[in-house]
Structures are given as C-alpha cells and as structure tokens.
Coordinates of all heavy atoms in Angstrom, one line a residue:
M28 N -2.5 -5.5 -15.1 CA -1.8 -4.5 -14.3 C -2.4 -3.2 -14.9 O -2.6 -3.0 -16.1 CB -0.3 -4.4 -14.5 CG 0.3 -3.4 -13.8 SD 2.1 -3.6 -13.7 CE 2.6 -2.0 -13.3
V29 N -2.7 -2.2 -13.9 CA -3.2 -0.9 -14.3 C -2.3 0.1 -13.6 O -2.0 -0.1 -12.4 CB -4.7 -0.7 -13.8 CG1 -5.1 0.7 -14.0 CG2 -5.6 -1.6 -14.5
C30 N -1.8 1.1 -14.3 CA -1.0 2.2 -13.7 C -1.5 3.5 -14.4 O -1.2 3.8 -15.5 CB 0.4 2.0 -14.0 SG 1.4 3.2 -13.2
D31 N -2.4 4.1 -13.6 CA -3.0 5.4 -14.0 C -2.3 6.5 -13.1 O -2.7 6.6 -12.0 CB -4.5 5.4 -13.8 CG -5.2 6.6 -14.4 OD1 -4.5 7.5 -14.8 OD2 -6.4 6.7 -14.3
E32 N -1.3 7.1 -13.6 CA -0.5 8.0 -12.8 C -1.3 9.0 -11.9 O -2.3 9.6 -12.4 CB 0.4 8.9 -13.8 CG 1.4 9.7 -13.0 CD 2.5 10.4 -13.9 OE1 2.5 10.0 -15.1 OE2 3.2 11.2 -13.4
N33 N -0.9 9.1 -10.7 CA -1.6 9.9 -9.7 C -3.0 9.5 -9.4 O -3.8 10.3 -8.8 CB -1.5 11.4 -10.1 CG -0.1 11.9 -10.2 OD1 0.7 11.5 -9.3 ND2 0.2 12.7 -11.1
R34 N -3.5 8.3 -9.8 CA -4.8 7.9 -9.6 C -4.9 6.5 -9.1 O -5.6 6.2 -8.1 CB -5.7 8.0 -10.8 CG -5.8 9.5 -11.3 CD -6.9 9.8 -12.2 NE -8.1 9.4 -11.5 CZ -9.2 9.1 -12.2 NH1 -9.2 9.2 -13.5 NH2 -10.3 8.8 -11.6
E35 N -4.3 5.5 -9.8 CA -4.5 4.1 -9.4 C -3.3 3.3 -9.9 O -2.7 3.5 -10.9 CB -5.8 3.5 -10.1 CG -6.0 2.1 -9.8 CD -7.3 1.6 -10.5 OE1 -7.5 1.9 -11.7 OE2 -8.1 0.9 -9.8
L36 N -3.0 2.3 -9.0 CA -2.0 1.2 -9.3 C -2.6 -0.1 -8.8 O -3.1 -0.2 -7.7 CB -0.7 1.5 -8.6 CG 0.4 0.4 -8.7 CD1 0.8 0.2 -10.2 CD2 1.6 0.7 -7.8
R37 N -2.7 -1.0 -9.7 CA -3.2 -2.4 -9.4 C -2.5 -3.5 -10.2 O -2.1 -3.2 -11.3 CB -4.8 -2.4 -9.6 CG -5.3 -2.6 -10.9 CD -6.8 -2.9 -11.0 NE -7.6 -1.9 -10.4 CZ -8.8 -2.2 -9.9 NH1 -9.3 -3.4 -10.0 NH2 -9.5 -1.3 -9.4
W38 N -2.4 -4.6 -9.5 CA -1.8 -5.8 -10.2 C -2.4 -7.0 -9.6 O -2.9 -7.0 -8.5 CB -0.3 -5.7 -10.1 CG 0.3 -6.0 -8.8 CD1 0.6 -7.2 -8.2 CD2 0.5 -5.0 -7.7 NE1 1.1 -7.0 -7.0 CE2 1.0 -5.7 -6.6 CE3 0.3 -3.6 -7.7 CZ2 1.4 -5.0 -5.5 CZ3 0.6 -2.9 -6.5 CH2 1.2 -3.7 -5.4
L39 N -2.3 -8.1 -10.3 CA -2.8 -9.4 -9.9 C -1.7 -10.4 -9.7 O -0.9 -10.6 -10.6 CB -3.8 -10.0 -10.9 CG -4.4 -11.3 -10.6 CD1 -5.3 -11.3 -9.4 CD2 -5.3 -11.7 -11.8
G40 N -1.6 -11.0 -8.5 CA -0.6 -11.9 -8.2 C -1.2 -13.3 -8.0 O -2.4 -13.4 -7.6
H41 N -0.4 -14.3 -8.3 CA -0.9 -15.7 -8.2 C 0.0 -16.5 -7.3 O 1.2 -16.3 -7.4 CB -1.0 -16.4 -9.5 CG -1.8 -15.7 -10.6 ND1 -3.2 -15.7 -10.6 CD2 -1.4 -15.0 -11.6 CE1 -3.5 -14.9 -11.6 NE2 -2.5 -14.5 -12.2
L42 N -0.5 -17.5 -6.6 CA 0.4 -18.4 -5.8 C 0.4 -19.7 -6.7 O -0.6 -20.4 -6.9 CB -0.2 -18.8 -4.5 CG 0.6 -19.8 -3.7 CD1 1.9 -19.3 -3.3 CD2 -0.2 -20.1 -2.4
L43 N 1.6 -20.0 -7.2 CA 1.8 -21.2 -8.1 C 1.1 -21.1 -9.4 O 1.6 -20.9 -10.4 CB 1.5 -22.5 -7.3 CG 2.3 -22.7 -6.1 CD1 1.8 -24.0 -5.4 CD2 3.8 -22.8 -6.4
V44 N -0.3 -21.3 -9.4 CA -1.0 -21.3 -10.7 C -2.3 -20.4 -10.4 O -2.8 -20.4 -9.3 CB -1.4 -22.7 -11.1 CG1 -0.2 -23.5 -11.4 CG2 -2.3 -23.4 -10.1
P45 N -2.7 -19.8 -11.5 CA -3.9 -18.9 -11.4 C -5.1 -19.8 -10.9 O -5.2 -21.0 -11.4 CB -4.1 -18.4 -12.8 CG -2.7 -18.4 -13.4 CD -2.1 -19.6 -12.8
G46 N -5.9 -19.3 -10.0 CA -7.1 -20.0 -9.6 C -6.9 -20.7 -8.3 O -7.9 -21.0 -7.6
L47 N -5.7 -20.9 -7.9 CA -5.4 -21.6 -6.6 C -5.5 -20.5 -5.4 O -6.3 -20.7 -4.5 CB -4.0 -22.2 -6.6 CG -3.6 -22.9 -5.3 CD1 -4.5 -24.1 -5.1 CD2 -2.1 -23.4 -5.5
F48 N -4.7 -19.5 -5.6 CA -4.8 -18.4 -4.6 C -4.3 -17.1 -5.3 O -3.1 -17.0 -5.7 CB -3.8 -18.7 -3.4 CG -3.9 -17.6 -2.4 CD1 -4.8 -17.6 -1.3 CD2 -2.9 -16.5 -2.4 CE1 -4.8 -16.6 -0.4 CE2 -2.9 -15.5 -1.5 CZ -3.9 -15.6 -0.5
D49 N -5.3 -16.2 -5.6 CA -5.0 -15.0 -6.4 C -5.3 -13.8 -5.5 O -6.2 -13.8 -4.7 CB -5.8 -14.9 -7.6 CG -5.8 -16.1 -8.5 OD1 -4.7 -16.8 -8.6 OD2 -6.7 -16.5 -9.2
G50 N -4.4 -12.8 -5.7 CA -4.6 -11.6 -4.9 C -4.4 -10.4 -5.8 O -3.4 -10.2 -6.4
E51 N -5.5 -9.6 -5.9 CA -5.4 -8.3 -6.7 C -5.1 -7.2 -5.7 O -6.0 -6.9 -4.8 CB -6.6 -8.1 -7.5 CG -6.5 -6.8 -8.4 CD -7.7 -6.6 -9.3 OE1 -8.8 -7.1 -9.0 OE2 -7.5 -5.9 -10.3
H52 N -4.0 -6.6 -5.8 CA -3.6 -5.4 -5.0 C -4.0 -4.1 -5.7 O -3.7 -3.9 -6.9 CB -2.0 -5.4 -4.8 CG -1.5 -6.7 -4.3 ND1 -1.3 -7.0 -3.0 CD2 -1.1 -7.9 -5.0 CE1 -0.8 -8.2 -2.9 NE2 -0.7 -8.8 -4.0
I53 N -4.7 -3.3 -4.9 CA -5.2 -2.0 -5.5 C -4.9 -0.9 -4.6 O -5.2 -0.9 -3.4 CB -6.7 -2.2 -5.7 CG1 -7.1 -3.4 -6.5 CG2 -7.3 -0.9 -6.3 CD1 -8.5 -3.9 -6.3
F54 N -4.3 0.2 -5.2 CA -4.0 1.4 -4.5 C -4.7 2.5 -5.3 O -4.5 2.6 -6.5 CB -2.5 1.7 -4.4 CG -1.7 0.6 -3.8 CD1 -0.9 -0.2 -4.5 CD2 -1.7 0.4 -2.4 CE1 -0.1 -1.2 -3.9 CE2 -0.9 -0.5 -1.8 CZ -0.2 -1.3 -2.6
T55 N -5.5 3.4 -4.6 CA -6.1 4.5 -5.3 C -5.8 5.8 -4.6 O -5.7 5.8 -3.3 CB -7.6 4.3 -5.6 OG1 -8.2 4.1 -4.3 CG2 -7.9 3.2 -6.5
L56 N -5.7 6.9 -5.3 CA -5.5 8.2 -4.8 C -6.7 9.0 -5.1 O -7.1 9.1 -6.3 CB -4.2 8.9 -5.3 CG -2.9 8.1 -5.0 CD1 -1.8 8.8 -5.8 CD2 -2.6 8.1 -3.5
E57 N -7.4 9.6 -4.1 CA -8.6 10.4 -4.4 C -8.4 11.8 -3.8 O -8.0 12.0 -2.6 CB -9.8 9.7 -3.7 CG -10.0 8.3 -4.1 CD -11.0 7.6 -3.2 OE1 -11.4 8.1 -2.2 OE2 -11.4 6.5 -3.6
P58 N -8.5 12.9 -4.7 CA -8.4 14.2 -4.2 C -9.4 14.6 -3.1 O -10.6 14.1 -3.2 CB -8.5 15.1 -5.4 CG -9.1 14.2 -6.5 CD -8.9 12.8 -6.0
R59 N -9.0 15.3 -2.1 CA -10.0 15.7 -1.1 C -10.4 17.2 -1.4 O -9.6 18.0 -1.8 CB -9.3 15.7 0.3 CG -9.1 14.3 0.8 CD -8.5 14.4 2.2 NE -8.1 13.1 2.7 CZ -8.8 12.6 3.8 NH1 -9.7 13.2 4.4 NH2 -8.5 11.4 4.2
E60 N -11.6 17.5 -1.0 CA -12.1 18.9 -1.2 C -11.2 19.7 -0.2 O -11.0 19.3 0.9 CB -13.5 19.0 -0.8 CG -14.5 18.5 -1.9 CD -15.9 18.8 -1.6 OE1 -16.2 19.8 -1.0 OE2 -16.7 17.9 -1.9
G61 N -10.8 20.8 -0.7 CA -10.0 21.7 0.2 C -8.5 21.3 0.2 O -7.7 21.9 0.9
G62 N -8.1 20.4 -0.6 CA -6.7 20.0 -0.7 C -6.4 18.7 0.0 O -7.2 18.2 0.8
G63 N -5.3 18.1 -0.3 CA -4.9 16.8 0.2 C -5.3 15.7 -0.6 O -6.0 15.8 -1.6
T64 N -5.0 14.5 -0.2 CA -5.2 13.3 -0.9 C -5.7 12.2 0.0 O -5.1 12.0 1.1 CB -4.0 12.8 -1.7 OG1 -3.6 13.9 -2.6 CG2 -4.3 11.6 -2.5
H65 N -6.7 11.4 -0.4 CA -7.1 10.2 0.4 C -6.6 9.0 -0.3 O -6.8 8.8 -1.5 CB -8.7 10.2 0.4 CG -9.2 9.1 1.1 ND1 -9.2 8.9 2.5 CD2 -9.8 7.9 0.7 CE1 -9.7 7.8 2.9 NE2 -10.1 7.2 1.8
F66 N -5.8 8.2 0.4 CA -5.2 7.0 -0.1 C -6.0 5.8 0.3 O -6.4 5.7 1.5 CB -3.8 6.9 0.5 CG -3.1 5.6 0.2 CD1 -2.6 5.4 -1.1 CD2 -2.9 4.6 1.2 CE1 -1.9 4.2 -1.4 CE2 -2.2 3.5 0.9 CZ -1.8 3.2 -0.4
V67 N -6.4 5.0 -0.6 CA -7.1 3.8 -0.4 C -6.3 2.6 -0.8 O -5.8 2.5 -2.0 CB -8.5 3.8 -1.1 CG1 -9.3 2.5 -0.9 CG2 -9.3 5.0 -0.7
Q68 N -6.2 1.6 0.0 CA -5.4 0.4 -0.2 C -6.3 -0.8 0.0 O -7.0 -0.8 1.1 CB -4.2 0.3 0.7 CG -3.4 -0.9 0.5 CD -2.2 -1.0 1.5 OE1 -1.4 -1.9 1.3 NE2 -2.0 -0.1 2.4
R69 N -6.4 -1.7 -0.9 CA -7.2 -2.9 -0.7 C -6.7 -4.1 -1.5 O -5.8 -3.9 -2.4 CB -8.7 -2.7 -1.0 CG -9.0 -2.4 -2.4 CD -10.5 -2.1 -2.6 NE -10.9 -2.3 -3.9 CZ -10.9 -1.4 -4.9 NH1 -10.4 -0.2 -4.7 NH2 -11.3 -1.7 -6.1
E70 N -7.1 -5.2 -1.1 CA -6.7 -6.4 -1.8 C -7.9 -7.3 -1.9 O -8.6 -7.5 -0.9 CB -5.5 -7.1 -1.1 CG -4.9 -8.2 -1.9 CD -3.6 -8.6 -1.4 OE1 -3.2 -8.2 -0.3 OE2 -2.9 -9.4 -2.0
E71 N -8.1 -7.9 -3.1 CA -9.2 -8.8 -3.3 C -8.6 -10.2 -3.6 O -7.8 -10.4 -4.5 CB -10.1 -8.3 -4.5 CG -10.7 -7.0 -4.1 CD -11.4 -6.4 -5.3 OE1 -11.5 -7.0 -6.4 OE2 -11.9 -5.3 -5.2
F72 N -9.1 -11.2 -2.8 CA -8.6 -12.6 -2.9 C -9.6 -13.4 -3.5 O -10.8 -13.4 -3.2 CB -8.2 -13.1 -1.5 CG -7.1 -12.4 -0.8 CD1 -7.4 -11.5 0.2 CD2 -5.8 -12.6 -1.2 CE1 -6.4 -10.8 0.9 CE2 -4.7 -11.9 -0.6 CZ -5.0 -11.0 0.5
N73 N -9.1 -14.3 -4.4 CA -9.9 -15.3 -5.0 C -9.1 -16.6 -5.2 O -7.9 -16.6 -5.1 CB -10.4 -14.9 -6.4 CG -11.3 -13.7 -6.4 OD1 -12.4 -13.8 -5.9 ND2 -10.8 -12.6 -6.9
G74 N -9.8 -17.7 -5.3 CA -9.1 -19.0 -5.6 C -9.7 -20.0 -4.6 O -10.4 -19.8 -3.6
I75 N -9.4 -21.3 -5.0 CA -10.0 -22.4 -4.2 C -9.5 -22.5 -2.8 O -10.2 -23.1 -2.0 CB -9.8 -23.8 -5.0 CG1 -8.3 -24.1 -5.2 CG2 -10.5 -23.7 -6.3 CD1 -8.1 -25.5 -5.8
V76 N -8.3 -22.0 -2.4 CA -7.8 -22.2 -1.1 C -8.2 -20.9 -0.2 O -8.0 -21.0 1.0 CB -6.3 -22.4 -1.0 CG1 -6.0 -23.7 -1.6 CG2 -5.5 -21.3 -1.5
V77 N -8.7 -19.9 -0.8 CA -9.0 -18.7 0.0 C -10.0 -18.9 1.1 O -9.7 -18.5 2.2 CB -9.6 -17.6 -1.0 CG1 -10.1 -16.4 -0.2 CG2 -8.5 -17.1 -1.9
P78 N -11.1 -19.7 1.0 CA -12.0 -19.9 2.1 C -11.3 -20.6 3.3 O -11.6 -20.3 4.5 CB -13.1 -20.9 1.5 CG -13.1 -20.6 0.1 CD -11.6 -20.3 -0.3
L79 N -10.3 -21.4 3.0 CA -9.6 -22.1 4.1 C -8.6 -21.1 4.9 O -8.3 -21.4 6.0 CB -8.7 -23.2 3.5 CG -9.4 -24.3 2.8 CD1 -8.5 -25.2 2.1 CD2 -10.4 -25.0 3.6
M80 N -8.3 -20.0 4.2 CA -7.4 -19.1 4.9 C -8.0 -17.7 5.2 O -7.3 -16.8 5.7 CB -6.2 -18.8 3.9 CG -5.5 -20.1 3.4 SD -4.3 -19.7 2.1 CE -3.1 -18.7 3.1
R81 N -9.3 -17.6 5.1 CA -10.0 -16.3 5.2 C -9.6 -15.6 6.6 O -9.3 -14.5 6.6 CB -11.5 -16.5 5.1 CG -12.3 -15.2 5.3 CD -12.0 -14.1 4.3 NE -12.3 -14.6 2.9 CZ -11.8 -13.9 1.9 NH1 -11.1 -12.8 2.0 NH2 -12.1 -14.4 0.7
S82 N -9.8 -16.3 7.7 CA -9.5 -15.6 9.0 C -8.1 -15.1 9.1 O -7.8 -14.0 9.6 CB -10.0 -16.4 10.2 OG -9.1 -17.6 10.3
S83 N -7.1 -15.9 8.7 CA -5.7 -15.6 8.7 C -5.5 -14.4 7.8 O -4.7 -13.5 8.2 CB -4.9 -16.8 8.4 OG -3.5 -16.4 8.3
L84 N -6.1 -14.4 6.6 CA -5.9 -13.3 5.7 C -6.4 -12.0 6.2 O -5.7 -11.0 6.2 CB -6.6 -13.6 4.4 CG -5.9 -14.7 3.5 CD1 -6.8 -15.0 2.3 CD2 -4.6 -14.2 3.0
D85 N -7.6 -12.1 6.8 CA -8.2 -10.8 7.3 C -7.3 -10.2 8.4 O -7.0 -9.0 8.4 CB -9.6 -11.1 8.0 CG -10.6 -11.4 6.8 OD1 -10.4 -11.1 5.7 OD2 -11.7 -12.0 7.2
K86 N -6.8 -11.0 9.3 CA -6.0 -10.5 10.4 C -4.6 -10.0 9.9 O -4.2 -8.9 10.2 CB -5.7 -11.6 11.4 CG -4.9 -11.2 12.6 CD -4.6 -12.4 13.5 CE -3.7 -12.0 14.6 NZ -3.3 -13.2 15.4
N87 N -3.9 -10.9 9.2 CA -2.5 -10.6 8.7 C -2.5 -9.5 7.7 O -1.6 -8.6 7.7 CB -1.8 -11.8 8.2 CG -1.6 -12.8 9.3 OD1 -1.4 -12.4 10.5 ND2 -1.7 -14.1 9.0
V88 N -3.4 -9.5 6.7 CA -3.4 -8.5 5.7 C -3.7 -7.1 6.3 O -3.1 -6.1 6.0 CB -4.3 -8.9 4.5 CG1 -4.5 -7.7 3.5 CG2 -3.8 -10.1 3.8
R89 N -4.7 -7.1 7.2 CA -5.1 -5.8 7.8 C -4.0 -5.2 8.5 O -3.6 -4.0 8.4 CB -6.3 -6.0 8.7 CG -6.7 -4.7 9.4 CD -7.9 -4.9 10.3 NE -9.1 -5.4 9.6 CZ -9.9 -4.6 9.0 NH1 -9.8 -3.3 8.9 NH2 -11.0 -5.1 8.4
H90 N -3.2 -6.0 9.3 CA -2.1 -5.5 10.0 C -1.0 -5.0 9.1 O -0.5 -3.9 9.3 CB -1.5 -6.6 10.9 CG -0.3 -6.2 11.7 ND1 -0.3 -5.4 12.7 CD2 1.1 -6.5 11.4 CE1 0.9 -5.1 13.2 NE2 1.8 -5.8 12.4
G91 N -0.7 -5.7 8.0 CA 0.3 -5.2 7.1 C -0.2 -3.9 6.4 O 0.6 -2.9 6.2
F92 N -1.5 -3.8 6.1 CA -2.0 -2.6 5.5 C -1.8 -1.4 6.5 O -1.5 -0.3 6.0 CB -3.4 -2.7 5.1 CG -3.6 -3.4 3.7 CD1 -2.6 -4.1 3.1 CD2 -4.9 -3.5 3.2 CE1 -2.8 -4.7 1.9 CE2 -5.1 -4.2 2.0 CZ -4.1 -4.8 1.3
E93 N -2.2 -1.6 7.7 CA -2.1 -0.6 8.7 C -0.7 0.0 8.9 O -0.4 1.1 9.0 CB -2.8 -1.0 10.0 CG -4.3 -1.2 9.9 CD -4.8 -1.9 11.1 OE1 -4.1 -2.4 12.0 OE2 -6.1 -1.9 11.2
E94 N 0.2 -1.0 8.9 CA 1.7 -0.6 9.0 C 2.1 0.2 7.8 O 2.8 1.2 8.0 CB 2.5 -1.9 9.2 CG 2.3 -2.6 10.5 CD 2.9 -1.8 11.7 OE1 4.0 -1.2 11.6 OE2 2.2 -1.7 12.7
M95 N 1.8 -0.2 6.7 CA 2.2 0.5 5.5 C 1.6 1.9 5.4 O 2.2 2.8 5.1 CB 1.8 -0.3 4.2 CG 2.3 0.4 2.9 SD 1.7 -0.4 1.5 CE 1.8 1.0 0.3
N96 N 0.3 1.9 5.7 CA -0.5 3.2 5.7 C 0.2 4.2 6.7 O 0.3 5.4 6.3 CB -1.9 3.0 6.0 CG -2.6 2.2 4.9 OD1 -2.1 2.0 3.8 ND2 -3.8 1.8 5.2
R97 N 0.5 3.8 7.9 CA 1.1 4.6 8.9 C 2.5 5.1 8.4 O 2.8 6.3 8.5 CB 1.3 3.9 10.2 CG 1.8 4.8 11.3 CD 1.8 4.2 12.7 NE 2.4 2.9 12.8 CZ 1.6 1.8 13.0 NH1 0.3 1.8 13.1 NH2 2.2 0.6 13.1
A98 N 3.3 4.3 7.8 CA 4.6 4.7 7.3 C 4.5 5.6 6.1 O 5.2 6.6 6.0 CB 5.4 3.4 6.9
L99 N 3.5 5.4 5.2 CA 3.3 6.2 4.1 C 2.8 7.6 4.5 O 3.3 8.6 4.0 CB 2.2 5.6 3.2 CG 1.9 6.4 1.9 CD1 3.1 6.6 1.0 CD2 0.8 5.7 1.1
K100 N 2.0 7.7 5.5 CA 1.5 9.0 6.0 C 2.6 9.7 6.7 O 2.8 10.9 6.4 CB 0.4 8.8 7.0 CG -0.1 10.1 7.6 CD -1.3 10.0 8.5 CE -1.8 11.3 8.9 NZ -3.0 11.2 9.8
E101 N 3.5 9.1 7.5 CA 4.6 9.7 8.1 C 5.5 10.3 7.0 O 6.0 11.4 7.1 CB 5.4 8.7 9.0 CG 4.7 8.4 10.2 CD 5.4 7.3 11.0 OE1 6.5 6.9 10.7 OE2 4.8 6.9 12.0
R102 N 5.8 9.5 6.0 CA 6.7 10.0 4.9 C 6.0 11.2 4.1 O 6.8 12.2 3.8 CB 6.9 8.8 3.9 CG 8.0 9.2 2.9 CD 8.4 7.9 2.2 NE 9.5 8.2 1.3 CZ 10.8 8.2 1.7 NH1 11.2 8.0 2.9 NH2 11.8 8.4 0.8
A103 N 4.8 11.1 3.9 CA 4.1 12.2 3.1 C 4.1 13.5 4.0 O 4.4 14.6 3.4 CB 2.7 11.8 2.8
V104 N 3.9 13.4 5.3 CA 3.9 14.6 6.2 C 5.3 15.1 6.2 O 5.5 16.3 6.1 CB 3.4 14.2 7.6 CG1 3.7 15.3 8.6 CG2 1.9 13.9 7.5
A105 N 6.3 14.2 6.3 CA 7.7 14.7 6.4 C 8.2 15.4 5.1 O 8.8 16.4 5.1 CB 8.7 13.5 6.6
M106 N 7.7 14.8 3.9 CA 8.0 15.5 2.6 C 7.3 16.8 2.6 O 7.9 17.8 2.1 CB 7.5 14.6 1.5 CG 8.4 13.4 1.3 SD 8.0 12.3 -0.1 CE 8.5 13.3 -1.4
A107 N 6.0 16.9 3.0 CA 5.3 18.2 3.0 C 5.9 19.2 3.9 O 5.9 20.4 3.5 CB 3.8 18.0 3.3
S108 N 6.6 18.8 4.9 CA 7.2 19.8 5.9 C 8.6 20.1 5.5 O 9.3 20.8 6.2 CB 7.1 19.2 7.3 OG 7.9 18.1 7.5
G109 N 9.1 19.4 4.5 CA 10.5 19.7 4.1 C 11.6 18.8 4.8 O 12.8 19.0 4.5
K110 N 11.2 17.9 5.6 CA 12.1 17.0 6.3 C 12.7 16.0 5.4 O 13.8 15.4 5.6 CB 11.5 16.3 7.5 CG 11.1 17.3 8.6 CD 10.6 16.6 9.8 CE 10.3 17.5 10.9 NZ 9.6 16.8 12.0
I111 N 12.0 15.7 4.3 CA 12.5 14.8 3.3 C 12.4 15.5 1.9 O 11.4 16.1 1.6 CB 11.6 13.5 3.2 CG1 11.7 12.7 4.5 CG2 12.0 12.6 2.0 CD1 10.8 11.5 4.5
R112 N 13.5 15.4 1.2 CA 13.6 16.1 -0.1 C 13.8 15.0 -1.2 O 14.6 14.1 -1.0 CB 14.7 17.1 -0.1 CG 14.4 18.3 0.8 CD 15.6 19.2 0.7 NE 16.7 18.5 1.4 CZ 17.4 19.2 2.4 NH1 17.1 20.4 2.7 NH2 18.3 18.5 3.0
D113 N 13.1 15.1 -2.3 CA 13.3 14.2 -3.4 C 13.2 12.8 -3.0 O 13.9 11.9 -3.5 CB 14.7 14.5 -4.1 CG 14.8 15.9 -4.5 OD1 13.8 16.5 -5.0 OD2 15.9 16.4 -4.5
G114 N 12.3 12.5 -2.1 CA 12.1 11.1 -1.7 C 13.2 10.5 -0.8 O 13.1 9.3 -0.5
T115 N 14.2 11.3 -0.4 CA 15.2 10.8 0.5 C 15.1 11.6 1.9 O 14.7 12.7 1.9 CB 16.6 10.9 0.0 OG1 16.8 12.3 -0.3 CG2 16.8 10.1 -1.3
R116 N 15.4 10.9 2.9 CA 15.3 11.5 4.2 C 16.6 12.3 4.5 O 17.7 11.8 4.3 CB 15.2 10.4 5.3 CG 14.9 11.0 6.7 CD 14.7 9.9 7.7 NE 13.4 9.1 7.4 CZ 12.2 9.5 7.8 NH1 12.1 10.6 8.6 NH2 11.2 8.8 7.5
D117 N 16.5 13.5 4.9 CA 17.6 14.4 5.3 C 18.3 13.9 6.6 O 17.6 13.3 7.5 CB 17.0 15.8 5.6 CG 18.1 16.8 5.8 OD1 19.3 16.5 5.6 OD2 17.8 17.9 6.3
E118 N 19.6 13.9 6.6 CA 20.3 13.4 7.8 C 19.9 14.0 9.1 O 20.0 13.4 10.1 CB 21.8 13.6 7.6 CG 22.5 12.6 6.6 CD 23.9 12.7 6.6 OE1 24.5 12.9 7.7 OE2 24.5 12.6 5.5
T119 N 19.4 15.2 9.0 CA 19.0 15.9 10.3 C 17.6 15.5 10.7 O 17.3 15.7 11.9 CB 19.1 17.4 10.2 OG1 18.3 17.8 9.1 CG2 20.5 17.8 9.9
A120 N 16.8 14.9 9.9 CA 15.5 14.6 10.2 C 15.4 13.3 11.0 O 15.8 12.2 10.4 CB 14.6 14.6 9.0
D121 N 14.9 13.3 12.2 CA 14.8 12.1 13.0 C 16.0 11.3 13.2 O 16.0 10.1 13.5 CB 13.7 11.1 12.3 CG 12.4 11.9 12.1 OD1 11.9 12.6 13.0 OD2 11.8 11.7 11.1
G122 N 17.2 11.9 13.0 CA 18.5 11.2 13.2 C 18.8 10.1 12.2 O 19.6 9.3 12.5
L123 N 18.1 10.1 11.1 CA 18.4 9.1 10.1 C 19.2 9.6 9.0 O 19.1 10.8 8.6 CB 17.1 8.5 9.5 CG 16.1 7.8 10.6 CD1 14.8 7.4 9.9 CD2 16.8 6.6 11.1
R124 N 20.0 8.8 8.4 CA 20.8 9.2 7.2 C 20.0 9.2 5.9 O 19.1 8.4 5.8 CB 22.0 8.3 7.1 CG 22.9 8.4 8.3 CD 24.2 7.6 8.1 NE 24.9 7.7 9.3 CZ 26.0 7.0 9.6 NH1 26.3 6.0 8.7 NH2 26.6 7.1 10.6
S125 N 20.4 10.0 5.0 CA 19.8 10.1 3.7 C 20.2 8.9 2.9 O 21.3 8.3 3.1 CB 20.2 11.4 3.0 OG 21.5 11.5 2.8
K126 N 19.4 8.6 1.9 CA 19.7 7.5 1.0 C 20.8 7.9 0.0 O 20.7 9.1 -0.5 CB 18.3 7.2 0.2 CG 18.0 5.8 0.1 CD 16.6 5.6 -0.5 CE 16.3 6.3 -1.7 NZ 15.0 5.8 -2.3
S127 N 21.7 7.1 -0.2 CA 22.8 7.5 -1.2 C 22.8 6.5 -2.3 O 22.6 5.3 -2.2 CB 24.1 7.5 -0.5 OG 24.1 8.4 0.6

C-alpha cells in the first residue's frame, strides 16, 4: 500500500490467494498548469485467471471507473462552488440532505 498525501493512493488486492487474480488499484493526482488537478485512476491485473477474464474486465472495470470519475468530478465542482461544505452536501444543493 502506498499513501502519498495529495499525490497517490495505491493498494494490491487478491482473490482468494495471491497469484490467482490480483488487482493493483492506483489513484494519482497531478497538478495542472494554471491551476486545478488532473485525476488518474487505473488498475493493473495479474494472475493465472486474468487472461480468461480480460474482455469482461476491460468492459466492466472501464464502466465502473467512468461512473466513479463522473461522480468525483461532480463532487469536486460542487465543493469548489460552495454547494458542498466539509465533504457533506448542503440540504439546499440539488435537493439532497446533508450527511449527519
């Protein structure tokens, strides 16, 4: 596991035993020139069953990443605009209740 604050988070997960189906999840934050942050999410799969699941992994993992990235961007934009404070959604923003 790597946790480099404001730069990178990564961990390695295993299905049942190491070497059968392993996935390393990696999130990186890269500063953009002129301000802002570029978020990169990826996963690297290894193990003896990975070749058998490759097409399913490509499709399903990509869809999950796209959904998470969209939600993360929406949340970051809402926080930057003041619609979300301290990581919780204001009751008036988008008709949702705040976290309690």
Side-chain angles (χ1 to χ4, degrees):
M28 181 169 162
V29 173
C30 184
D31 186 357
E32 189 173 346
N33 297 320
R34 298 199 57 202
E35 179 181 45
L36 175 63
R37 78 169 56 206
W38 69 94
L39 180 63
H41 307 284
L42 177 66
L43 301 176
V44 296
L47 182 63
F48 181 88
D49 305 330
E51 184 175 24
H52 307 264
I53 304 157
F54 303 107
T55 56
L56 301 172
E57 302 168 352
R59 291 181 181 246
E60 286 187 33
T64 302
H65 180 71
F66 172 73
V67 178
Q68 176 181 189
R69 68 184 199 272
E70 189 163 10
E71 298 173 1
F72 296 105
N73 293 294
I75 60 175
V76 299
V77 170
L79 304 172
M80 302 175 67
R81 179 61 62 195
S82 64
S83 174
L84 288 171
D85 289 343
K86 178 183 175 187
N87 295 328
V88 170
R89 178 178 301 276
H90 177 73
F92 280 9
E93 289 169 351
E94 290 291 316
M95 182 186 158
N96 292 349
R97 185 170 49 253
L99 181 60
K100 182 176 182 179
E101 288 174 7
R102 188 167 186 85
V104 168
M106 287 181 76
S108 69
K110 291 182 180 178
I111 296 178
R112 292 178 286 233
D113 301 325
T115 60
R116 188 175 293 272
D117 185 14
E118 284 190 36
T119 61
D121 305 317
L123 299 175
R124 295 187 183 165
S125 61
K126 226 170 50 172
S127 301

